[in-house]
Amino acid sequence: MSLADRIGGLRARIRRACEVAGRDPGSVELLPVSKKQPLSLIREAAALGFTRFGENYVQEGGDKAAASPELTFVLLGPLQRNKAKPALQHFAEIQSLDRPELAERLRHLAEDLHVVRPVWIQVDLWDEATKLGGCAEADLPALIAALGGDARLPLRGFMAIPPPEDEGAFILLAKLRDRLQQDLGQPLRLSMGMSADLEAAIAAGSDQIRIGTAFFGERNN
Ligand SMILES: *Cc1c(COP(=O)(O)O)cnc(C)c1O
């Protein structure tokens, strides 16, 4: 199947899910996840109008970003402290912020580098059920405090990778977002939903779905 055909099918799924949920398809951002996909395929997607891509690894995504200055890359994967600098240099946004030490390190570096990088907090409401990183709900206040409202790292919202087939997960996340949006008095977005579960995520109010295989096809592992 060609990339354009696959994206056409994906768009139809998104439209149907929005119809069922009574939402405007324009209210759901489609973020293609290009990890382990070649630059040639990313460029094909760019020719179809996509300019922002999600990547999981600092090295791989950084290399792609350096080779494609016209495109924007968002970091989705776990971030180690010692990779914080290249992460800020190559990625326009960081969606995997999950602990206060990392927030402090990023603030310090963002000031040195004179950059502004929107961040999303990755939350894990399932007690490491997924082992993919993420901040527990009880630790969120400390993490938000560590960001300190720093204008160089504006908080955009929450990202999560719920356990597969956990029906209530997206609704739980939506409630958490609503609550924190109230508490902090600022709009916060929700990045949830992947190839297998985008319909449930859209029904629960996701603002951004992160799509790898349903967009690019199987990954080369
Ligand atoms: C790989 C990945 C995705 C995309 O997964 P698919 O199931 O291929 O759509 C989305 N978000 C994160 C954080 C990922 O690591």
Side-chain angles (χ1 to χ4, degrees):
M1 200 192 295
S2 75
L3 184 64
D5 285 346
R6 201 178 301 103
I7 295 171
L10 174 59
R11 289 223 190 268
R13 268 180 80 186
I14 297 170
R15 267 198 314 276
R16 270 196 306 276
C18 286
E19 228 169 70
V20 170
R23 298 185 56 188
D24 171 5
S27 70
V28 180
E29 183 197 352
L30 166 57
L31 179 70
V33 177
S34 51
K35 66 181 176 212
K36 301 203 173 154
Q37 298 290 356
L39 202 49
S40 55
L41 205 54
I42 296 173
R43 298 221 161 112
E44 239 184 89
L48 296 171
F50 292 87
T51 56
R52 278 161 52 83
F53 297 90
E55 284 279 342
N56 277 55
Y57 310 99
V58 174
Q59 181 70 49
E60 179 190 343
D63 288 349
K64 288 171 174 171
S68 329
E70 74 285 8
L71 302 177
T72 297
F73 289 86
V74 174
L75 183 65
L76 306 176
L79 178 55
Q80 305 305 319
R81 238 181 95 90
N82 62 357
K83 299 264 178 68
K85 188 171 177 186
L88 285 176
Q89 287 169 321
H90 294 298
F91 294 88
E93 276 182 27
I94 296 184
Q95 286 207 351
S96 44
L97 178 64
D98 64 357
R99 55 201 194 280
E101 309 78 61
L102 182 59
E104 280 153 21
R105 180 81 186 138
L106 288 170
R107 286 180 69 180
H108 181 78
L109 286 166
E111 189 179 351
D112 281 357
L113 296 168
H114 302 286
V115 295
V116 173
R117 297 289 184 257
V119 294
W120 301 57
I121 291 176
Q122 182 180 348
V123 291
D124 173 15
L125 307 182
W126 307 274
D127 288 334
E128 289 187 85
T130 58
K131 298 262 181 230
L132 295 169
C135 183
E137 186 169 4
D139 302 329
L140 279 172
L143 176 48
I144 291 167
L147 275 177
D150 193 330
R152 290 193 182 277
L153 298 179
L155 179 60
R156 284 284 184 269
F158 301 100
M159 184 273 265
I161 312 170
E165 304 184 20
D166 178 341
E167 295 280 319
F170 293 129
I171 293 168
L172 209 63
L173 284 161
K175 286 189 176 142
L176 175 81
R177 184 271 297 272
D178 292 348
R179 205 161 59 241
L180 282 156
Q181 196 165 244
Q182 277 272 316
D183 290 354
L184 298 178
Q186 72 172 84
L188 293 168
R189 306 182 70 211
L190 258 183
S191 175
M192 59 183 193
M194 309 197 291
S195 293
D197 55 16
L198 66 92
E199 285 85 359
I202 287 174
S206 180
D207 299 297
Q208 180 191 73
I209 53 174
R210 308 178 311 270
I211 308 296
T213 46
F215 186 101
F216 284 112
E218 292 301 324
R219 284 183 277 276
N220 312 305
N221 283 295

